[in-house]
Amino acid sequence: DVRRLLTVCPSAAGDGAVVVHCKGGFGRSVVMACCLAIDRLDVPGSALLGWVRIVRPGAVNTPSQEQMLMGLTGRSSIRSFANMGEAGAAQQGCCSVQ
């Protein structure tokens, strides 16, 4: 889940590198990498969605993944989505960390 990703990755990435992958590498892994970028860089999901589709054609391949990213406006919204210290809606995940 997104909360686990945001909790584990910063402590595991001493050199700044994090690898995120799923079976295909187009949907779930890209969404999770976007969640991490939204948190670290405080950028909106809509900006990342356009960028990842340029650098990784075919990325974010379900409507629920696209809607999730489009609904994230920055660091505070990703942390709210992940229920990390800010009151917010319960997570309606399309992806999970395993």
Side-chain angles (χ1 to χ4, degrees), residues 4-77:
R4 184 170 171 203
L5 175 81
L6 299 180
T7 303
V8 171
C9 288
S11 63
D15 63 355
V18 175
V19 176
V20 180
H21 210 290
C22 64
K23 185 176 180 181
F26 287 96
R28 293 165 296 189
S29 59
V30 173
V31 170
M32 296 302 272
C34 284
C35 289
L36 189 58
I38 291 167
D39 186 61
R40 289 191 175 182
L41 304 173
D42 196 19
V43 296
S46 58
L48 284 175
L49 181 62
W51 180 78
V52 299
R53 285 187 166 159
I54 291 169
V55 299
R56 184 86 164 128
V60 185
N61 48 21
T62 69
S64 64
Q65 292 169 345
E66 183 175 340
Q67 290 169 2
M68 177 198 160
L69 286 178
M70 292 297 290
L72 298 171
T73 59
R75 182 177 296 126
S76 63
S77 67

